[in-house]
Amino acid sequence: MVLSLLGLRRRKRDGDEEYLAVQDVETLPRRRLTLVLGLAVGLATVPLVMLYVLLVLSSFADQMLSGPDIFTARYSLENWRLLFEGRLEPAAGRLYTTRDLAMIVANTLLVAAGVTVVVIVTSVMAGYAFSRMRFWGRRRLMEFIILLHAFPGVALIIAVYAIYVWSLGLVPREAITGYRFLYTILARAALEIPMSIWLMKGFFDRIPWEVEWSAMIDGASRLRVWWQIVLPQVKPGIAALAIFAFLAGWEDLIYVHVFLYTGGIKTLATFIEEVVGNIETAYLPIAAAAGTLYLLPTIIFFVATQRLLLQAMSGGVKG
Amino acid sequence: MTRPRLNPALFFLLPALILVIVFYIVPLFLSIYISFTPLENWNLHRYLDEVTTSNYERLLYMVRFDPDVGKVVQTTLVFVAATLAVNVLGGLALALSTFLMEERISLPYRVLWMLPRMTPIAVYSLMWYYFFLGDRSGTLNSLLLSLGMIDEPLAWGTDPRLLPESAWAILVIVNGFVGVSFGMVVFYSALRSIPREHVIAARVDGASTWQLVRYVLVPQLRWHIVYVTVWQLLSLITTYAHIFLLVEWGAVDKWWGSTWALYVFNTAFTTSDQGLAAAAATILVIVGALLGLVALRLLGFQRMMQEPRGEI
């Protein structure tokens, strides 16, 4: 305790190098300041906390909760049972439309996993080229890729959809569902590409090149060096990228709405959209339960990888 | 006999380049082309041969004389300016607070404020939908009712007596909570990389916390503030996903609650006028590209470009 007050203890949770040095009393946070700031930030956080608590509580309640009524509502696992049985949208007359929840979750997972794979493969390869190779137009291309991220990619969705409509005619009928998924995954992954390449290049830049250099002098091919020597060293970067890409695919609404929903394929996002869309008839706590279910993987991911995420986000900035 | 060898750099770049060409370059030109055709109902075979400027003329006319489109333009301007201010200043305030407080309290706060960014869009919209719901069960209404501040529930996003400011406020709040974490993370990590000696020296000289922030910490964040401002500006111009559902569900007024990007999307996918939507999208693309170029200049991305190492 005394040691930690004097700042002599190594603060393991802080990865930054500065913090590994002995910390001076002058830089230690002050107790009263912490109290004031903590209260101020806490006040600003109230709406946020309230929203999440209400959502989760509602998923167990017999009505949508909004504040004072949380003490009068009755709680049970009923909504979750209905959700897992696929008996959703109990309308006014208790007419259940049975839906296959497993299918909806599987669709969502498929999109998220697909986006992850595409983003990782493309940006790990491109990031390596930008970090290690000298080629004509490298600087221009790198600039262009940053510009793409700044570029309104979503504004191009009309043309992306037009290409899709046009290409649909070339796809055999039996493969059309697979094609819808493929197109959604590729189009959504493309949106992540600019930032991911940039992020990956940053990770490659940080690893020393002597080992791969000597391997190449010994006659190993570029591809083998990349696969056997460089890739194992950027595993944390790939992990961060995987999380970002998975969340991007998991969270997506617009692309699944445009490419999958029009084909009758539902994901959790479009399912929630549909349930709340029929606001007159829908039994809303079901939507809250579906929303909570949808939120779960993100929270798990987030808690497990909090440091990695923050690192990667700031890593992308420093380049 | 030697086989022609693929340039290794090209090999590594190929997958990414293909995606970029198919989903950025081709759509860009196609989008510009569609904006000059009277495309309707996605009927690509029928309308794509006619070239006309009528979409732009109609758009110009609508911006000037159609009150609904005028509302969208106003909303976009207010939304971008206000949310940008919230994101940059809020992010700065959050980063400074979490930097200055004890780690035990700081870490949970940083995690909490990242939550909206990590929440799936549909769930996030759902939560705000209930918050601003127009009947007695809406969170805001029931809170204000129990506090006695209003006598009857208000439809926050659609009540004509409250528009347009209430719809704008909803857009800014909903997107502000998401955007603020970007600034927080960037500023926080920048603060953490400031040499501790600067803080120590200031403290030894007897600087108050306010003086420390004002004269030591913030000046060192200058570059990051420019970066976050430019980046968020670019993102906000094309933002619509988080309000797409709120508009679709009727939680905010259709026109006072729509930004230009959402107008483009809705025109393309809920009406059948894709030519007009493409024209509106092209304008968005031009604005984005110009701002992007300015950003590159302003931020000096050249400085961030390390020369490749490990080349033999």
Side-chain angles (χ1 to χ4, degrees), chain A residues 14 18 31 38 42 45 52 64 66 132-134 138-139 143 149 152 205 213 251 273 276 279 298 317, chain B residues 27 102 109 111 113-114 118-120 126 129-130 137 139 192 231 238 248 302 304 306 309 311-312:
Chain A
D14 298 310
E18 305 83 51
R31 190 126 282 188
T45 318
Y52 283 91
M64 278 311 290
S66 55
R132 290 292 200 268
M133 295 171 177
R134 196 167 280 141
R138 173 180 169 275
R139 187 176 284 267
E143 258 184 28
H149 182 74
D205 279 349
W213 202 48
E251 288 172 355
E273 180 187 350
V276 183
I279 193 80
T298 30
V317 177
Chain B
E102 286 168 43
Y109 273 147
V111 174
W113 281 90
M114 283 296 287
M118 294 291 143
T119 305
L126 188 71
Y129 174 80
Y130 290 126
S137 63
T139 308
R192 290 290 291 268
W231 207 250
T238 55
E248 194 183 84
Q302 300 277 351
M304 290 162 78
Q306 255 178 338
R309 298 173 306 176
E311 196 70 39
I312 41 174

Side-chain angles (χ1 to χ4, degrees), chain A:
Chain A
M1 186 61 200
V2 179
L3 281 181
S4 81
L5 271 182
L6 290 172
L8 291 174
R9 192 177 57 132
R10 254 172 73 140
R11 303 183 56 165
K12 276 194 206 122
R13 280 192 297 171
D14 298 310
D16 300 48
E17 278 159 32
E18 305 83 51
Y19 267 75
L20 295 180
V22 172
Q23 201 179 22
D24 293 82
V25 178
E26 281 82 3
T27 65
L28 280 178
R30 283 135 200 241
R31 190 126 282 188
R32 249 196 35 210
L33 189 62
T34 298
L35 197 68
V36 174
L37 289 175
L39 278 177
V41 179
L43 211 61
T45 318
V46 166
L48 208 60
V49 176
M50 207 161 70
L51 285 177
Y52 283 91
V53 169
L54 284 175
L55 178 83
V56 176
L57 278 182
S58 296
S59 75
F60 293 102
D62 57 348
Q63 65 194 66
M64 278 311 290
L65 304 174
S66 55
D69 50 2
I70 54 172
F71 303 107
T72 56
R74 271 189 288 160
Y75 295 93
S76 65
L77 291 170
E78 180 71 5
N79 302 324
W80 286 89
R81 194 176 61 81
L82 288 174
L83 183 67
F84 280 109
E85 285 173 3
R87 302 206 298 175
L88 311 162
E89 276 187 273
R94 310 294 279 179
L95 289 169
Y96 291 105
T97 326
T98 306
R99 302 276 181 64
D100 195 348
L101 180 76
M103 194 60 149
I104 293 177
V105 173
N107 289 342
T108 319
L109 271 174
L110 185 63
V111 173
V115 170
T116 312
V117 171
V118 174
V119 167
I120 286 180
V121 170
T122 52
S123 45
V124 164
M125 289 176 78
Y128 179 69
F130 279 120
S131 173
R132 290 292 200 268
M133 295 171 177
R134 196 167 280 141
F135 52 87
W136 181 84
R138 173 180 169 275
R139 187 176 284 267
R140 281 262 164 266
L141 195 60
M142 194 72 209
E143 258 184 28
F144 175 71
I145 284 184
I146 302 163
L147 194 61
L148 279 187
H149 182 74
F151 201 70
V154 276
L156 300 176
I157 194 166
I158 296 166
V160 173
Y161 190 70
I163 295 172
Y164 168 74
V165 169
W166 173 79
S167 65
L168 217 50
L170 308 174
V171 179
R173 189 171 286 262
E174 58 270 23
I176 223 146
T177 303
Y179 183 71
R180 281 181 191 276
F181 273 108
L182 184 71
Y183 199 87
T184 311
I185 288 167
L186 290 177
R188 190 62 188 81
L191 281 189
E192 299 299 308
I193 290 271
M195 199 63 200
S196 307
I197 292 179
W198 190 236
L199 198 73
M200 224 42 235
K201 178 192 175 288
F203 277 102
F204 279 121
D205 279 349
R206 273 181 225 160
I207 53 172
W209 53 273
E210 282 80 5
V211 181
E212 57 177 298
W213 202 48
S214 60
M216 276 167 76
I217 288 173
D218 288 348
S221 73
R222 184 57 107 164
L223 205 59
R224 202 172 145 194
V225 169
W226 177 67
W227 186 256
Q228 287 193 333
I229 296 170
V230 186
L231 275 195
Q233 296 186 66
V234 288
K235 270 185 190 154
I238 296 176
L241 203 61
I243 292 156
F244 277 131
F246 185 89
L247 289 180
W250 180 257
E251 288 172 355
D252 184 65
L253 170 70
I254 302 296
Y255 278 66
V256 295
H257 177 88
V258 168
F259 298 114
L260 291 180
Y261 193 70
T262 48
I265 302 166
K266 291 196 178 83
T267 59
L268 277 169
T270 49
F271 170 70
I272 292 171
E273 180 187 350
E274 199 184 84
V275 171
V276 183
N278 296 327
I279 193 80
E280 301 298 321
T281 54
Y283 175 58
L284 292 171
I286 287 275
T292 310
L293 178 72
Y294 193 21
L295 195 59
L296 279 179
T298 30
I299 293 180
I300 292 168
F301 259 134
F302 190 61
V303 171
T305 58
Q306 194 269 137
R307 283 215 57 85
L308 198 58
L309 284 177
L310 294 182
Q311 247 173 35
M313 272 185 90
S314 55
V317 177
K318 284 175 199 153

